[in-house]
Amino acid sequence: MKKRMFATLALVGAAALTIAGCSSDADPSDSAAPGGGGGDGDVISVGFAQTGSESGWRSANTDSMKEAFSAENGFDLTFNAADNDTAAQIAAVRSFINQGVDAIVIAPIVSDGWDDVLQEAKDAGIPVILEDRTVSASDDLYASWVGLDFKKEGVMAGEWAAEQYGSTPTKMVVLEGTTGSAPANDRAAGFDEAIAGTQIEKIDSQTGDFTRDGGKAVMEGYLQKYGVDGIDLVFAHNDDMALGAIEAIEAAGGKPGEDIHIISIDAVHDGMQALVDGKINFIVECNPLLGDLAAGLVKDVLAGKDVEKKVYVSDQTFTQEQAAEVIDSRPY
Ligand code: AHR
C-alpha cells in the first residue's frame, strides 16, 4: 500500500519532468547513477518482460538485468522472455499486474500497441520503467525509459558509409531488425538521412528479425537475386544479422569485408571479432549494460523521487584498428 502511494507520487514527478522535456545522459558503469544499486528495507518485487533471446546483444542485456535485479540488491525478480512474440509479451505484463508486483520493467518488442496494458498498470498503481526500446504510447503511461539513441546509431553508421563509399556508385542492401521495433525504425531513418545525396543506392531492404539465421536467409536471397558482384555494401541493423550475412557471402564464394563491405550495430564480442578479422568493416556500438540504471530508476520511482523521463546511454564507434585494441577488455 505504502509502495502504491510512492508510485503515484513518482509518476506525478515524472510527468512534471516530461513537460519540462528533461532527459539525461548516463554512464552504465556509474554506480552513483539513479538509485545507485544495493538494497535496504523491503524486498522490491519486479516483473521484467524481456523481448526474447534473439541476439548476442539480448543475452548481454538479460545478464545485466538479472545481475542488477538480484536478491542481494533487494529485488525479487520475475523474468519473462517472450520469444519475440508481442502478444505473449503483453500477456506477461498483464500477469505481472495481476500478481501485484511493485514495479514492471519492459523491453518492448515493437513500438505500437502498448496503450491499453500501460493504462492498466497505471490504474493498478504499478509504475512501469521501459528499458532498451521505446513505445509510441503517451509518455505519461510510464515513469521513465533508459536506453540508447537508435537514430544517432543509424546516423553514425550512415556518416561512415557516406565518407568511405559515398563518392562512388555503391549498391547497398539492408538487413532490417524486427519490423515495427524502435531500433529498426530509427536506425533506418538515421542511416538514410546520413547517406542522402551520396552515390550509395539502397537496392533492397528486408527484415532478418535481428537473428543470425534471419540475416543469413535474407542475405542468401539477395545473393541469388543480385549475385556477389551486384552488391557492394550491407547495412545490418545488428551484429547477429551481419554474422549471418558473412556465412551467406562465404557460401556464395565471396569475401565479406572485401567483395562486399559490411557495416553493423551492437559491438558484441562475435561482431567485434569479425571486425578484427576484416569481415565486417565498421561497427556502431549499442550498449546492452542497462541493468544498474534500470534498477536505480525502479528504486527511485518507488521512493517517490523525481526521475528523468529519458535516460540516454552513449555509444561509440569502432574501425578494425580500434576493435583490435579493445576487444579483449570488453565485458560482452
Ligand atoms: O533493441 C536493441 C537491439 O535488439 C539490438 O541492437 C539487437 O541486437 C537486439 O536484438
Side-chain angles (χ1 to χ4, degrees):
M1 189 63 196
K2 187 179 66 175
K3 280 175 187 150
R4 293 284 175 278
M5 188 184 72
F6 284 154
T8 309
L9 283 171
L11 285 168
V12 170
L17 282 170
T18 313
I19 292 161
C22 282
S23 69
S24 73
D25 285 318
D27 177 353
S29 61
D30 179 4
S31 58
D40 48 286
D42 291 350
V43 170
I44 299 169
S45 60
V46 172
F48 173 39
Q50 178 60 290
T51 59
S53 52
E54 70 277 3
S55 64
W57 188 98
R58 191 59 56 191
S59 307
N61 179 249
T62 293
D63 290 350
S64 167
M65 295 292 284
K66 286 185 173 172
E67 218 174 294
F69 287 92
S70 65
E72 283 134 33
N73 287 344
F75 293 99
D76 174 15
L77 178 69
T78 306
F79 175 80
N80 179 277
D83 201 18
N84 229 23
D85 176 340
T86 305
Q89 192 176 39
I90 289 173
V93 173
R94 284 216 166 89
S95 108
F96 295 150
I97 297 170
N98 292 336
Q99 282 168 46
V101 295
D102 294 323
I104 295 173
V105 182
I106 310 171
I109 297 167
V110 292
S111 302
D112 293 343
W114 287 97
D115 306 66
D116 290 351
V117 75
L118 290 178
Q119 185 63 55
E120 289 163 35
K122 190 175 182 181
D123 292 345
I126 301 174
V128 171
I129 308 295
L130 304 177
E131 75 107 22
D132 165 30
R133 300 184 186 176
T134 51
V135 293
S136 58
S138 165
D139 64 8
D140 63 4
L141 294 177
Y142 55 89
S144 185
W145 163 87
V146 56
L148 299 309
D149 187 336
F150 298 130
K151 177 147 189 221
K152 196 167 161 193
E153 291 171 350
V155 168
M156 290 194 282
E159 281 175 348
W160 194 82
E163 199 184 298
Q164 299 293 316
Y165 315 117
S167 52
T168 47
T170 300
K171 300 214 177 296
M172 175 182 73
V173 294
V174 180
L175 299 171
E176 299 168 15
T178 299
T179 304
S181 69
N185 291 341
D186 297 352
R187 287 171 185 169
F191 193 96
D192 287 353
E193 200 175 287
I195 62 162
T198 71
Q199 294 197 57
I200 299 172
E201 180 198 355
K202 181 162 56 178
I203 58 169
D204 224 324
S205 185
Q206 291 173 35
T207 182
D209 233 358
F210 281 131
T211 67
R212 200 175 288 210
D213 287 351
K216 185 177 176 187
V218 174
M219 194 66 210
E220 282 167 352
Y222 289 155
L223 288 162
Q224 268 167 22
K225 197 164 163 191
Y226 306 104
V228 172
D229 292 342
I231 302 169
D232 302 308
L233 175 65
V234 175
F235 171 41
H237 286 185
N238 81 343
D239 285 352
D240 278 75
M241 292 190 295
L243 293 163
I246 288 170
E247 287 178 32
I249 294 166
E250 286 176 339
K255 277 197 175 162
E258 291 181 31
D259 298 330
I260 298 179
H261 296 116
I262 302 178
I263 296 173
S264 74
I265 296 180
D266 273 358
V268 294
H269 185 271
D270 290 357
M272 291 290 270
Q273 188 60 58
L275 179 57
V276 171
D277 296 342
K279 296 183 178 189
I280 291 179
N281 304 85
F282 188 68
I283 294 183
V284 176
E285 184 184 46
C286 178
N287 193 325
L289 306 181
L290 305 176
D292 284 340
L293 289 164
L297 283 166
V298 166
K299 286 191 173 181
D300 283 352
V301 168
L302 291 172
K305 293 184 191 169
D306 281 349
V307 294
E308 304 284 4
K309 198 68 174 182
K310 290 181 178 172
V311 179
Y312 282 99
V313 171
S314 55
D315 290 315
Q316 48 188 322
T317 61
F318 297 100
T319 59
Q320 184 180 28
E321 296 70 30
Q322 289 164 334
E325 272 170 33
V326 300
I327 189 165
D328 292 332
S329 60
R330 284 171 65 78
Y332 56 90

